[in-house]
């Protein structure tokens, strides 16, 4: 504030602003500084730690007494908790103080978890088993999507991604138990997430890129696990291709997040390919030798790609 006072006084003497304007600017900035400092960082950390302790205790207590409630009471309690979390975030959402902005985001994020728990309880009590996953996925996706449209933050986007993942599980379950389509749905959802992020429909973009890359890699891994003991190999191949695509996109989009996920995915799927197809015969020594060579190559490629991303 001392530097600001000196600049205002100098500008007023130079005729750039009037002395009345200088006093008005000083009053506004003083009030803003007081508001910004009203919630010290340490106090905010202590508040969040206290809230986590409270929620943890409440969860343990609820888990022990929950079976004693009737179905109607359970639904009412879950609905009330979700509404309170949503109402708290709605009430403070327009406050300009950063601490309260973060609190509003956190409350709405927790309310998505409450809505998912409520949807699960409704499905268990009112629907047959086959429709549970799909109902829960649709419910979470719609509610989290509505909150995300009102508040485009990373936490709300993560909540929306969790809802879409539940929706993928529900769609997979709806197709029957003989064929598991979860991996394919996750991969498609992840690819779509990256496209929407690049088009700036999903923001923050870095969070969207992370969610999309995670969906593609998790989907590939789910396919690989599903068919791992059969003659099918396309899950691992899809994982390697997806990782390579993420590395390419990290250069095209100049995004370090995609580079990190692409590198990690390539490492994971290469190790699985080595273990699946190079484990016979020489076994361990050959696998370790090949893995070491691949890791060295991967490290060199990663450093070169990182430099290209950073310089573009």
């Amino acid at each position: 504030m001392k530097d600001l006072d000196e600049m205002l006084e100098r500008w007023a003497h130079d005729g750039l602003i009037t002395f009345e304007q200088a006093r008005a600017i000083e009053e506004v900035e003083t009030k803003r500084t007081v508001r910004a400092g009203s919630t010290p960082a340490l106090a905010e950390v202590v508040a969040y730690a206290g809230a986590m302790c409270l929620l943890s205790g409440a969860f343990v207590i609820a888990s022990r007494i929950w079976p004693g409630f009737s179905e109607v009471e359970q639904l009412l309690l879950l609905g009330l908790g979700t509404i309170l979390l949503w109402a708290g975030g709605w009430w403070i959402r327009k406050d300009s103080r950063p601490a309260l902005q973060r609190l509003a985001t956190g409350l709405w994020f927790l309310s998505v978890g409450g809505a998912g728990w409520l949807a699960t309880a409704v499905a268990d009590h009112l629907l047959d088993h086959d429709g549970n996953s799909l109902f829960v996925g649709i419910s979470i996706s719609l509610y989290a999507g509505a909150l995300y449209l009102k508040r485009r933050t990373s936490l709300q986007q993560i909540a929306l991604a969790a809802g879409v993942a539940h929706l993928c599980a529900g769609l997979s379950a709806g197709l029957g138990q003989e064929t598991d389509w979860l991996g394919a749905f996750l991969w498609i959802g992840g690819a779509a997430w990256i496209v929407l992020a690049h088009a700036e429909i999903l923001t923050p973009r870095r969070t969207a890129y992370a969610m999309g890359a995670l969906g593609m890699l998790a989907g590939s891994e789910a396919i690989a696990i599903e068919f791992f003991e059969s003659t099918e190999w396309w899950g691992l191949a899809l994982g390697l291709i997806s990782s390579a695509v993420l590395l390419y996109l990290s250069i095209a989009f100049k995004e370090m997040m995609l580079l990190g996920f692409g590198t990690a995915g390539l490492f994971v799927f290469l190790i699985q390919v080595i273990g699946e197809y190079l484990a016979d015969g020489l076994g361990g020594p050959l696998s370790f030798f090949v893995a070491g060579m691949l890791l060295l190559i991967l490290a060199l490629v990663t450093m070169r790609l990182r430099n290209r991303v950073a310089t573009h």
Side-chain angles (χ1 to χ4, degrees):
M1 289 299 297
K2 182 178 179 181
D3 294 337
L4 177 62
D5 294 340
E6 293 176 354
M7 287 189 295
L8 290 174
E9 184 178 357
R10 185 169 63 252
W11 293 342
H13 282 295
D14 292 341
L16 298 176
I17 58 176
T18 64
F19 285 98
E20 290 78 10
Q21 290 173 330
R23 284 193 294 271
I25 294 173
E26 184 179 358
E27 290 176 0
V28 170
E29 290 300 321
T30 301
K31 292 179 181 178
R32 182 177 300 170
T33 302
V34 171
R35 287 199 303 268
S38 60
T39 307
L42 180 60
E44 186 179 354
V45 171
V46 172
Y48 281 120
M52 289 302 101
C53 291
L54 188 150
L55 290 174
S56 299
F59 181 80
V60 173
I61 294 172
S63 65
R64 294 179 179 177
I65 66 175
W66 193 254
F69 292 118
S70 65
E71 294 180 357
V72 175
E73 290 173 337
Q74 290 179 2
L75 294 177
L76 288 176
L77 287 173
L78 288 173
L80 178 62
T82 302
I83 291 173
L84 288 176
L85 290 170
W86 173 85
W90 180 268
W91 182 48
I92 63 177
R93 77 190 192 284
K94 292 185 178 180
D95 196 300
S96 60
R97 285 172 287 186
L100 292 182
Q101 288 291 309
R102 290 189 289 270
L103 178 59
T105 300
L107 289 174
W108 275 11
F109 180 78
L110 291 175
S111 76
V112 174
W117 193 357
L118 176 61
T120 301
V122 170
D124 289 339
H125 298 324
L126 302 180
L127 300 177
D128 58 17
H129 180 72
D130 292 337
N132 285 9
S133 299
L134 186 59
F135 176 79
V136 173
I138 292 174
S139 301
I140 298 177
S141 298
L142 290 177
Y143 178 66
L147 294 184
Y148 175 73
L149 290 177
K150 294 293 294 184
R151 195 173 192 83
R152 291 178 176 269
T153 62
S154 293
L155 271 182
Q156 303 306 151
Q157 186 182 153
I158 292 172
L160 176 59
V164 173
H166 276 83
L167 181 59
C168 291
L171 291 172
S172 176
L175 292 177
Q177 299 181 355
E178 294 182 359
T179 304
D180 190 354
W181 288 91
L182 175 60
F185 286 134
L186 286 176
W187 192 94
I188 294 172
W193 216 269
I194 291 178
V195 172
L196 293 175
H198 185 62
E200 297 186 351
I201 297 175
L202 289 174
T203 56
R205 291 175 66 179
R206 177 157 292 186
T207 303
Y209 283 140
M211 294 295 99
L214 183 61
M216 291 178 65
L217 296 178
S220 301
E221 185 64 31
I223 294 172
I225 292 174
E226 175 69 17
F227 300 112
F228 208 73
E229 296 182 356
S230 68
T231 57
E232 301 289 348
W233 51 268
W234 64 287
L236 293 176
L238 181 61
L240 290 173
I241 294 172
S242 300
S243 301
V245 169
L246 291 176
L247 290 175
Y248 170 78
L249 292 179
S250 70
I251 302 299
F253 297 168
K254 303 172 183 144
E255 179 52 59
M256 296 292 293
M257 185 67 70
L258 294 176
L259 176 61
F261 275 94
T263 303
L266 200 59
F267 170 77
V268 170
F269 286 105
L270 281 175
I271 292 298
Q272 291 184 73
V273 169
I274 292 172
E276 179 70 9
Y277 297 105
L278 300 178
D280 297 331
L282 295 177
L286 178 60
S287 297
F288 277 106
F289 177 80
V290 175
M293 292 295 295
L294 289 175
L295 286 175
L296 289 175
I297 295 172
L298 183 59
L300 293 174
V301 171
T302 300
M303 287 188 289
R304 292 181 62 86
L305 289 177
R306 181 173 182 175
N307 291 334
R308 291 184 62 183
V309 172
T311 55
H312 277 66

